[in-house]
Amino acid sequence: MSPHEATVHDKFLDTIRWCDGRYEVSLTWKEQHTLLPDNYALAVSRLASVLKCLRGNPELFAEYSRIIDEQSSQEIISDVDANAPVQVGRLYYLAHHPVVREDKQTTKVRIVYDASAKSTGPSLNDCLQTGPSLTSEIPDVLIQFRYHQVALVADIEKTFLMVQVAEADRDVLRFLWINDLTSEDPNIVVKRFNRVVFGVTSSPFLLNRTVRHHVSNNGTLRGLNWDIARDTFMFYFDWLVQFAKELPLNKRSILKVVAKLYDPLGLILPLFITVKALFQDLCKLKISWNEPLNEDLALRYSSWLSDLLKVQCIPVERCYMTNSEENVVSFQIHGFGDSSEVA
């Protein structure tokens, strides 16, 4: 890695953060890049060309619009607030067009965004660092793939769109669309990406480094904290208690707290029976979402938080057979239950 690439890498580590359930990164701006010019007129021209193409193929037009609507509903993209201030030189409109792959069994239509489009002055890609290449060499991958008896492969759905872009950089990820597919003279609407965009020169580096950041040292596995050195799942609660204390004492907040902890196997379920029973009581009492808790209910909730803070951390060994020195012949799963209406 060159000194220049190392600088990009270090800035990435300084700015990456975990926000709202996903990683958030900043674009890799060049130190002294030329200010981005207003390319709105070019974007309008490119949109007109795309619409002409799409109107000649109604099925493609409908699918193109469906993709944009779906990404809007998933908050991958959002509408632009016309009154929001924009930093000078940090405004750019991505041109876009469809790519159709009939040989694909799943995603046959893909919208491609062009961050290299320019009329006067630089394009967005001209102003960004590519970053060091972190893509593994194919021979290295194949050698490792053949090394173990059991090989596992996985795919991240819509990989680039899983990583969030910092708010300060989103206005250079704008694009134009229309409000009505059936109209001959529709209004133009402005949208922008909230996530990393395939087609932006820094996106491969941002994605690959985010994945490596995710699995490094004490990483997480499917949302679980995994201490790789001890091969143990670690459940911490101090952050959850702190999060709970910053929220108002109401039914909505309790649901937020319960939903924050990821425990798909139910390994620590006994710790949450008390607060889930409390939430059930709130529902039975028909207490509204934002109604403050009365003294008795608030005491039950605060007592549970205090107990949770005393626990601090629960370690769970990842492997079932850590202490087994004999060959395992078979596994059995035993389930236990009771007739309690509370638990």
Side-chain angles (χ1 to χ4, degrees), residues 218 224-227 230 232-236 313-316:
N218 292 325
L224 295 175
N225 287 311
W226 180 25
D227 187 329
R230 293 188 289 176
T232 303
F233 294 131
M234 307 293 289
F235 293 91
Y236 297 99
C313 173
I314 293 181
V316 179

Side-chain angles (χ1 to χ4, degrees), residues 34-52:
T34 306
L35 293 179
L36 283 167
D38 186 349
N39 70 330
Y40 182 84
L42 175 63
V44 171
S45 175
R46 292 283 293 269
L47 176 63
S49 298
V50 169
L51 291 176
K52 182 178 180 181

